[in-house]
Amino acid sequence: MSAEKAMHMRTKVRGLQDTLSRAAKQSLGRRFGALYDKVYREDVLWVAWQQVRANDGAPGVDRQSFEHIEQVIGVEVFLAELREELREQRYRPKAVRRCWIEKPGKPEKRPLGIPVIRDRVVQAAVKIVIEPIFEANFLPCSNGFRPGRSTHLAIGQVQRAITFGKQTVVIDADIKGCYENIRHDILMNLVQRRISDQRVLKLIRGFARASGVENGNVGRTGGQRRDTGVHAVDAHFHRFDHD
């Protein structure tokens, strides 16, 4: 793809996100219905691929690597086939490869779910579409997994609250096994406050319910952090930010 076409695609995607963001901010209670066709837009899928490729990562259960897609299949063919699957509503997420990684400074390990690359691309495409909608509702004090925000920004907010706001109490809390234990029914109810397109909701449910494969055994995914799921979980914790 030429540099000019790549820039044009990025510009179109930014325009889509700006349009969704403005609409979401104008009506904080609006539910968005016509979103699915935006997920499989050529420009959205291409930007999603670029994001996933930049993150790199190991192959999923199909053992299909980025190099195989680029050198054997071809990125344009790969994305065109994926687009047709989505357009014809034939797309189904595959099982997630589960592995265990070390926890720094701790003896136990934590589970990590590795989706196949095609599923990562679709997840990223869904995130591109729904992120501007949820961002309109999130508060400035919420920093987790949001664009332009980080733990360092959160620390700075805490420091300012202590120094200038005279705050004297800091609560450090963690939810054990958050992504394994969070209730999907509650999560989806919160997501549906902003998203009414059943096809998009079906995609998110599919990612959340995808089975996991560990040493050839199929079971619960547990430990998987999916990009679409992250914004769904942020929607859940948004309730606490108001309290």
Side-chain angles (χ1 to χ4, degrees), residues 40-94:
Y40 63 79
R41 274 178 33 169
E42 181 184 11
D43 53 343
V44 170
L45 285 176
W46 183 82
V47 170
W49 161 264
Q50 292 295 315
Q51 293 176 355
V52 171
R53 185 64 181 96
N55 288 333
D56 204 5
V61 293
D62 61 358
R63 299 295 177 180
Q64 189 177 75
S65 66
F66 287 106
E67 291 75 19
H68 179 80
I69 293 171
E70 292 169 337
Q71 299 169 16
V72 179
I73 301 174
V75 174
E76 290 188 5
V77 172
F78 172 80
L79 293 178
E81 291 176 350
L82 185 54
R83 186 184 184 198
E84 278 304 296
E85 282 189 50
L86 287 164
R87 188 179 67 82
E88 297 175 1
Q89 298 186 49
R90 293 185 289 107
Y91 168 82
R92 298 292 183 274
K94 292 185 181 296

Side-chain angles (χ1 to χ4, degrees), residues 91-103:
Y91 168 82
R92 298 292 183 274
K94 292 185 181 296
V96 173
R97 184 163 68 89
R98 191 180 190 188
C99 60
W100 295 83
I101 60 175
E102 302 285 346
K103 276 189 173 183

